[in-house]
Amino acid sequence: FLSGTVVTGSTASSTVTVDGYGAASSTRNYGIYLVNAGTVLTSAGGNVVVTGVGGTGAAAENKGILMEADTAINATGSGSITVTGTGGGANSSLNAGIEMQTGTQIASVNGSVSVTGTGGGGATGTSNRGVSIGGSIKSTGSGSVSVAGTGGPGSGGDNQGVILERFGTGTVQEIKSSTGNVIVSGTAGGGSGSLGIKVNSVAGAPATISTGGSGSIALVADSMSLVTSAVISAPSVAIAPKTPGKNIDLGSASDTTANTLGLSQAELNTITTTTLGLGDANTASINLVAPITLPAGTTANATAAVINLNGNTISGGTVNTTQSGSPLIAVEQPAGAVVSDGDTRSFGAVILGSQS
């Protein structure tokens, strides 16, 4: 483990590489352990590569990488950061791939940031998160930021893929770039309450996923929960299931419907963007299960094999639809409407697009 230490590459071209593997004693066998304020891994302009694998102890907390309060992994200049953590443990709990506590950061300037975590814990474990973020993962310049997490397989549940959550009195839980693209991809683990992405924000300390300039955000998961105080902000935001053949239910209050990514009105309200992408060419269907309202000036581009309004309405912004399956148009149209291949026309707030 590292405590009160600054590790810096000797030259601008030097890569800082740290690998760690947990032991096999009963508990708390961390692969990489950064502890005490001021502990920093950083480069002088080169890349930083950190890999941690939790130990095989039968008890809890065999984390791949644990960053305790006010520790950091940084790269300066155009240096990139790659952090990979894999939780260990047998059939136990709290074996995160990567856990970042209050005041921690993984930060570049103009280099890319890639953070990948896989929860451990075995067949019956619980709370084995892929990437648990109580601090900041960011690029302060033009670097892209990618966070990918896979929850542990345990049947005990709460095995989140990627979760932003508050630790103690922390006020910053964020994934961001100043102007680069941001991608968050999550795969739920086993058991009840496990989600691909969970933004577990609280009042006064909102969890944030953001970028500016010409940057975009992509949220990719088969299930997600965006708590009402969360902030998702970018010029362009895209949301899609991770697995081909899954559905999206708009207006749904359920985050755990089988084979379906549910997005409620409250969750859509956390998103500030001018262009909102919903689904992709691999999405089986987009279903409007309740009326929803988009902010004025927002254009939503909905893409799926089939799109169904189910008698509900979308108001506020503009919606463009693209269907790759049959029938050509599955949205409900006003009586007497004539729609032909390649036709694009407006019915209220919905613009019906052509088959791709």
Side-chain angles (χ1 to χ4, degrees), residues 104-247:
T104 57
Q105 74 170 27
I106 298 173
S108 75
V109 180
N110 292 317
S112 62
V113 178
S114 176
V115 177
T116 304
T118 303
T124 61
T126 184
S127 299
N128 297 305
R129 283 83 179 269
V131 182
S132 181
I133 305 163
S136 178
I137 299 175
K138 64 184 178 181
S139 166
T140 59
S142 60
S144 62
V145 177
S146 173
V147 179
T150 301
S155 59
D158 188 32
N159 297 303
Q160 320 297 344
V162 176
I163 179 169
L164 285 85
E165 62 180 345
R166 187 179 193 182
F167 280 81
T169 59
T171 58
V172 176
Q173 306 90 44
E174 65 181 8
I175 302 170
K176 67 182 291 187
S177 177
S178 181
T179 60
N181 295 335
V182 174
I183 301 174
V184 183
S185 175
T187 301
S192 63
S194 298
L195 301 170
I197 297 172
K198 186 170 185 179
V199 184
N200 198 20
S201 190
V202 296
T208 301
I209 302 174
S210 66
T211 188
S214 59
S216 64
I217 291 174
L219 304 180
V220 183
D222 293 341
S223 58
M224 65 180 69
S225 173
L226 310 176
V227 177
T228 55
S229 59
V231 177
I232 314 297
S233 178
S236 173
V237 176
I239 300 176
K242 185 175 182 180
T243 305
K246 301 293 186 179
N247 309 300

Side-chain angles (χ1 to χ4, degrees), residues 8 21 39 50 80 102 106 127 129 142 186-187 199 214-215 223-224 234 242 256 284-285 320 343-344 353:
T8 305
Y21 300 87
T39 299
V50 180
S80 66
T102 301
I106 298 173
S127 299
R129 283 83 179 269
S142 60
T187 301
V199 184
S214 59
S223 58
M224 65 180 69
K242 185 175 182 180
T256 56
S285 69
N320 299 316
D343 188 25
T344 301

Side-chain angles (χ1 to χ4, degrees), residues 263-291:
L263 295 170
S264 68
Q265 178 68 68
E267 289 176 314
L268 292 170
N269 289 346
T270 68
I271 301 170
T272 300
T273 187
T274 55
T275 303
L276 175 62
L278 297 168
D280 57 22
N282 295 314
T283 303
S285 69
I286 296 177
N287 305 293
L288 190 62
V289 300

